[in-house]
Amino acid sequence: MRAELEEKRAELQAERADLSASTGETGGISFGKRVGEGTSFAVERLSQVAAHDRLGAMQAEVVRALAKLDEGTYGRCDVCAEPIAADRLEARPWSIRCIRHAG
Ligand SMILES: [Zn+2]
């Protein structure tokens, strides 16, 4: 389980690095001369930023799940301490909250 989570963490790290590289640090949303062009660029950039945020949030969960392994609370909800459903853990081994407290 730990190895699986650590692998996932590394994978997310790599994906985020890729996204950062493709969006670039020079950044800023610039609108081109042709409105359509600028808009689609802006939309694409916004979706990349959203993807980056999503990956970051997921990575934080993976890190927390690893900490829960150390604490011995892995598989239990961080909010109510009830066991997390097995099928939920199977789909997302880094789940740190039950279905009621997810999101
Ligand atoms: Zn809960």
Side-chain angles (χ1 to χ4, degrees), residues 1-43:
M1 183 53 70
R2 182 179 296 275
E4 197 178 327
L5 288 173
E6 277 172 357
E7 195 177 308
K8 185 71 191 172
R9 183 173 58 174
E11 186 187 307
L12 290 168
Q13 185 74 54
E15 278 184 49
R16 288 180 83 197
D18 276 359
L19 268 179
S20 297
S22 71
T23 49
E25 298 301 327
T26 51
I29 296 170
S30 65
F31 292 94
K33 283 173 187 160
R34 280 178 294 167
V35 173
E37 202 173 290
T39 304
S40 69
F41 178 78
V43 167

Side-chain angles (χ1 to χ4, degrees), residues 13-97:
Q13 185 74 54
E15 278 184 49
R16 288 180 83 197
D18 276 359
L19 268 179
S20 297
S22 71
T23 49
E25 298 301 327
T26 51
I29 296 170
S30 65
F31 292 94
K33 283 173 187 160
R34 280 178 294 167
V35 173
E37 202 173 290
T39 304
S40 69
F41 178 78
V43 167
E44 188 186 336
R45 182 168 168 79
L46 283 175
S47 73
Q48 281 174 329
V49 169
H52 193 267
D53 287 353
R54 208 161 49 235
L55 287 171
M58 196 186 286
Q59 197 180 7
E61 287 186 11
V62 174
V63 168
R64 176 65 193 139
L66 281 163
K68 284 168 77 63
L69 277 174
D70 289 337
E71 288 174 4
T73 61
Y74 179 80
R76 288 185 175 270
C77 175
D78 252 358
V79 180
C80 64
E82 289 296 317
I84 299 170
D87 57 350
R88 185 171 164 74
L89 273 178
E90 202 171 310
R92 287 165 57 104
W94 55 90
S95 295
I96 56 174
R97 284 184 292 268

